[in-house]
Amino acid sequence: MENMCGAINYSPNKLYDLCINAAAKQYQSKRWWFQREDLLLLPNCALLDFYETLYYNNRLYLLRQDFGNMLIFYKLLRTRKKRHCLITCYQAVLNYEHGEIVSKALFDSYTQLIVGESNLDLIDVGMRMGSFLNEGGWYDYSVQFLDRAKTLLMNKHLCLDVQLKLMECDRLKLLAESLHCNFMRARETYLCFIEIMKFLERNTTLTSVFANCYCTLSTYFFVQSNFDESYRWALKAFTLLPQGLTNRTVLDILRQTSKSCVMKRKFAQAGLLIKQAMNLGVQMDIKRHHPIFSDLLMDYAFYLLNSDAVVESVEAYQLALDHKLFIFETRNIQIALAHEDLAYSLYVNEYNSGNFQLARCHAETSILMMKEVLPPDHILLASAKRVKALILEEMALDYNVSSESEQKQLLTTAEELHLSALKLSQETFGEANVQTAKHYGNLGRLYQSMKQFDKAEQMHQKAIKIKEDILGLHDYEVGLSVGHLASLYNYHMKKYSAAEELYLRSIEINIRLFGPAYSGLEYDYRGLIHVYSKLSSVDKYIFYNTKYREWRRLRRKVARVDYNEELLGPQCVVQRFFEIGDQQVETEKERILLANKFKSSTTEYGG
């Protein structure tokens, strides 16, 4: 019985495997020599092995009828080491019934246990269900279970133990509502959560219990594009790493802090953390068919894409999608989001080649799956529609498009998608939000392609204004929109002096953030070369041709990114993080000097 909790090895030499297989065979033939209630006598891990065998034998109707029983499912929830197997089996049942019948049955069973005053710890049942459903991306029912558990908690005497459970219950709820982008409910939960968390911070010395709380708060602000607050809370969680946290908590903090650093353009620190997370995952022996493994790959790809390693990001996103498809197969929001992210990375990677068919396929798959699993007009659809619209626009501009009518149809569809995405963003986030600004910028580019230049100019100017107000004058997003407006002035509106000023500003921002080898500088240098050819400014034309050739030489020296680094202990990671922060300050100073030198050289040539 030593191997009872391990992975099933279908070897005829192991008595345990023979017993599990025999029981499953009898159960599915309906000639079993035991009752369903007898299954509750099995050890938790043996019960999960039993249902896993039914899953591999494709007896999903049996899983469906038993997974709706909360007494059985609660035993399965307590088998932590094989959680990934339970997630896969649960998703298979959802796919089998094309809906969430089993989730409703479980919730009804839980409600009956509450009414019947079961001997089970029903608070623990509800919180375990909430945590499990969060891991699988089934956020609606997670919130329902957690609401019931919270009601039970509120009826108890508010001792320290109950207050800690209330805080954890609210934390899990906030995470579910944030990841599901239900921001109105998340705001209500946030206010309750922050109140009890601050009370407990004042009245307990158990600082380590707040690490997950700070990490979740970082996620809450991150999904709303409030990256300053997200980074602040991530940093609070990160400084608690040496407090003896579990490996899973450390992993979550490393991932979230890395993403926050990416959006604050602290790439060296982000790289340290996500690489440490990858190596910690290997040390923890996280199985490749576990959702956490694919989440790690998604976060690593996110870092790569934003730090200008586009080819590697495509590889990582593809690998993450493959693993998510293995786990969930279909009809899951996590697969839909992976398709969207891969579509966007392919779009960026193929921007110069014009080969967008694969990117389009992934974007359309994402949208179709989101429509299956999300309510109509859900905000997550806005991002997927945006990606598809960007792809269609580039396809319309391709010289291989067969006819003018086909081009017009592609552009019209792209406009409909962009306008729909903008409306969803305005309704969810309001006007003063980075996501809304992005949609304005995308519409600006589209109207430029549709030769509606005045409308394009208005959209770009709106995007720049919102981004500057929120992010400041030197953020990457600001530089991106400034570069797009420069392109409009340069190639279509013949406002060459205005284009020159904007290109120079975009170059300054990009050198400040990424250094002189940044890939996006190509469009700025080529744009300036075109401007000076039109203005017959020979000295500047020669100067920026030289700059462009220097940039190409630097690009050839850019090394391929590799995540293999020595795994450090928590204290060493924290120390190294702040050392890199100090070094990055010096690097930023050097880049500012480089950007100022660039401005000076421009002035020297009459810029």
Side-chain angles (χ1 to χ4, degrees):
M1 300 297 283
E2 277 184 304
N3 297 324
M4 188 175 286
C5 293
I8 298 177
N9 183 344
Y10 293 97
S11 165
N13 299 321
K14 292 189 177 180
L15 180 60
Y16 174 75
D17 296 340
L18 286 170
C19 292
I20 291 292
N21 285 322
K25 186 176 181 180
Q26 288 290 318
Y27 198 62
Q28 64 197 40
S29 69
K30 297 186 179 180
R31 296 193 303 272
W32 57 80
W33 29 263
F34 54 89
Q35 300 296 319
R36 181 172 292 112
E37 291 74 18
D38 295 333
L39 293 172
L40 296 172
L41 301 175
L42 287 173
N44 298 340
C45 49
L47 184 61
L48 182 52
D49 285 344
F50 171 77
Y51 284 114
E52 188 183 5
T53 303
L54 291 177
Y55 162 75
Y56 282 122
N57 292 340
N58 203 31
R59 296 300 188 265
L60 298 180
Y61 64 93
L62 292 173
L63 266 68
R64 158 67 188 86
Q65 70 181 20
D66 287 6
F67 275 17
N69 185 317
M70 193 72 253
L71 294 174
I72 290 176
F73 205 80
Y74 181 52
K75 285 180 66 69
L76 300 176
L77 286 174
R78 288 184 288 173
T79 311
R80 296 291 303 179
K81 289 187 177 179
K82 296 192 71 176
R83 174 63 68 88
H84 59 281
C85 297
L86 184 56
I87 288 173
T88 299
C89 291
Y90 194 84
Q91 180 66 52
V93 172
L94 292 174
N95 294 340
Y96 170 75
E97 62 190 15
H98 298 286
E100 296 198 12
I101 300 171
V102 69
S103 300
K104 185 178 185 307
L106 265 176
F107 186 70
D108 291 343
S109 178
Y110 180 53
T111 303
Q112 290 170 8
L113 290 174
I114 293 172
V115 173
E117 298 182 354
S118 167
N119 291 327
L120 286 180
D121 182 348
L122 295 174
I123 293 169
D124 186 60
V125 173
M127 291 178 67
R128 283 181 184 268
M129 276 301 303
S131 177
F132 168 76
L133 294 168
N134 277 354
E135 284 189 51
W138 307 299
Y139 303 118
D140 275 346
Y141 274 97
S142 170
V143 172
Q144 292 187 46
F145 276 98
L146 291 167
D147 275 337
R148 285 294 172 91
K150 184 174 181 179
T151 301
L152 294 173
L153 280 166
M154 294 297 289
N155 291 329
K156 288 185 170 291
H157 174 66
L158 292 181
C159 60
L160 177 61
D161 182 58
V162 170
Q163 288 174 323
L164 288 169
K165 287 181 179 178
L166 264 175
M167 182 174 71
E168 177 64 6
C169 190
D170 275 340
R171 185 190 74 79
L172 291 169
K173 263 191 70 182
L174 183 63
L175 186 62
E177 289 160 351
S178 298
L179 295 176
H180 203 224
C181 298
N182 189 343
F183 297 125
M184 288 185 67
R185 285 208 60 175
R187 176 63 180 170
E188 296 173 7
T189 305
Y190 165 77
L191 293 173
C192 295
F193 174 58
I194 206 79
E195 181 181 359
I196 191 168
M197 188 188 78
K198 287 182 175 180
F199 172 81
L200 288 170
E201 281 179 323
R202 293 192 301 268
N203 291 278
T204 179
T205 57
L206 301 173
T207 54
S208 61
V209 303
F210 299 109
N212 275 324
C213 298
Y214 301 154
C215 190
T216 298
L217 285 167
S218 177
T219 301
Y220 168 70
F221 287 108
F222 188 92
V223 296
Q224 297 179 79
S225 303
N226 187 341
F227 301 124
D228 287 340
E229 277 297 290
S230 177
Y231 178 71
R232 184 173 75 84
W233 284 108
L235 211 55
K236 286 195 73 170
F238 178 72
T239 54
L240 294 178
L241 284 190
Q243 298 291 326
L245 309 178
T246 65
N247 280 341
R248 175 60 192 274
T249 299
V250 170
L251 195 65
D252 289 342
I253 292 171
L254 289 173
R255 289 174 51 213
Q256 182 56 36
T257 310
S258 173
K259 288 194 292 185
S260 297
C261 284
V262 166
M263 298 315 296
K264 294 293 289 180
R265 311 303 166 191
K266 299 176 183 293
F267 295 112
Q269 289 164 303
L272 167 73
L273 300 185
I274 193 57
K275 292 169 189 176
Q276 288 296 311
M278 293 286 286
N279 286 322
L280 178 58
V282 171
Q283 186 198 62
M284 291 167 62
D285 194 27
I286 293 176
K287 307 301 180 186
R288 291 181 178 267
H289 41 264
H290 197 293
I292 300 173
F293 182 78
S294 57
D295 291 341
L296 271 170
L297 287 171
M298 292 286 287
D299 293 340
Y300 183 51
F302 176 76
Y303 157 73
L304 291 171
L305 181 62
N306 282 275
S307 59
D308 206 27
V310 180
V311 174
E312 292 91 338
S313 79
V314 170
E315 295 171 0
Y317 275 129
Q318 181 64 67
L319 191 57
L321 174 61
D322 291 343
H323 285 293
K324 287 189 180 293
L325 287 169
F326 180 83
I327 298 162
F328 299 108
E329 190 175 334
T330 187
R331 294 191 75 255
N332 187 282
I333 188 59
Q334 295 196 38
I335 296 177
L337 293 172
H339 274 295
E340 179 198 331
D341 288 340
L342 178 57
Y344 184 71
S345 65
L346 283 166
Y347 159 77
V348 175
N349 191 47
E350 302 293 347
Y351 193 78
N352 289 322
S353 73
N355 183 13
F356 295 107
Q357 288 295 345
L358 184 57
R360 179 181 183 177
C361 177
H362 283 293
E364 290 176 342
T365 302
S366 174
I367 291 170
L368 287 172
M369 194 171 295
M370 285 186 185
K371 286 180 176 179
E372 280 190 88
V373 300
L374 294 173
D377 295 330
H378 193 280
I379 185 58
L380 287 175
L381 276 163
S383 181
K385 287 179 177 180
R386 164 184 168 267
V387 172
K388 182 181 176 182
L390 291 171
I391 294 166
L392 293 182
E393 179 187 348
E394 293 305 320
M395 293 179 73
L397 300 177
D398 189 350
Y399 293 115
N400 295 320
V401 172
S402 58
S403 67
E404 187 177 332
S405 62
E406 184 181 353
Q407 182 187 61
K408 184 178 180 181
Q409 179 59 47
L410 287 169
L411 291 173
T412 301
T413 303
E415 182 183 21
E416 291 170 356
L417 289 166
H418 275 318
L419 288 172
S420 173
L422 174 62
K423 182 183 177 186
L424 286 172
S425 185
Q426 287 171 325
E427 290 172 351
T428 304
F429 299 115
E431 190 77 1
N433 185 275
V434 174
Q435 296 304 319
T436 303
K438 283 184 178 181
H439 294 306
Y440 278 127
N442 292 330
L443 276 167
R445 293 184 62 193
L446 177 66
Y447 288 136
Q448 184 175 343
S449 300
M450 297 173 77
K451 301 180 181 178
Q452 299 177 29
F453 303 131
D454 289 338
K455 289 177 74 173
E457 182 180 26
Q458 291 171 16
M459 294 296 107
H460 285 313
Q461 288 171 341
K462 278 188 175 182
I464 292 170
K465 178 69 168 63
I466 294 170
K467 289 179 180 180
E468 285 180 341
D469 288 346
I470 297 171
L471 303 171
L473 298 178
H474 297 105
D475 189 80
Y476 161 75
E477 284 291 338
V478 175
L480 197 63
S481 290
V482 164
H484 290 155
L485 182 57
S487 173
L488 173 67
Y489 286 159
N490 182 16
Y491 295 107
H492 298 290
M493 299 184 78
K494 299 182 180 179
K495 297 182 178 181
Y496 298 120
S497 295
E500 177 191 20
E501 183 181 341
L502 292 170
Y503 277 131
L504 294 174
R505 184 181 172 196
S506 178
I507 290 171
E508 182 189 355
I509 291 172
N510 287 329
I511 291 176
R512 270 174 172 254
L513 293 175
F514 302 104
Y518 175 54
S519 62
L521 286 167
E522 176 180 8
Y523 307 106
D524 294 327
Y525 286 137
R526 288 169 61 181
L528 277 174
I529 291 167
H530 181 266
V531 164
Y532 295 134
S533 70
K534 292 297 182 180
L535 292 174
S536 300
S537 181
V538 178
D539 287 346
K540 294 180 188 176
Y541 180 85
I542 294 171
F543 177 74
Y544 282 102
N545 258 303
T546 304
K547 283 285 183 185
Y548 180 50
R549 288 196 297 272
E550 288 174 0
W551 171 84
R552 292 182 67 179
R553 282 196 295 272
L554 289 171
R555 285 300 297 172
R556 285 195 288 270
K557 295 178 182 178
V558 173
R560 184 179 174 86
V561 179
D562 186 6
Y563 78 81
N564 290 312
E565 286 189 1
E566 178 189 0
L567 180 62
L568 305 174
Q571 184 65 53
C572 293
V573 173
V574 173
Q575 182 179 342
R576 182 69 184 130
F577 178 87
F578 288 110
E579 286 173 358
I580 290 175
D582 292 337
Q583 293 167 8
Q584 191 159 330
V585 169
E586 294 304 313
T587 302
E588 286 171 359
K589 288 179 180 177
E590 291 172 7
R591 287 177 177 171
I592 289 171
L593 289 172
L594 190 60
N596 290 335
K597 184 179 178 181
F598 168 80
K599 287 174 70 175
S600 300
S601 62
T602 302
T603 305
E604 182 182 335
Y605 279 86

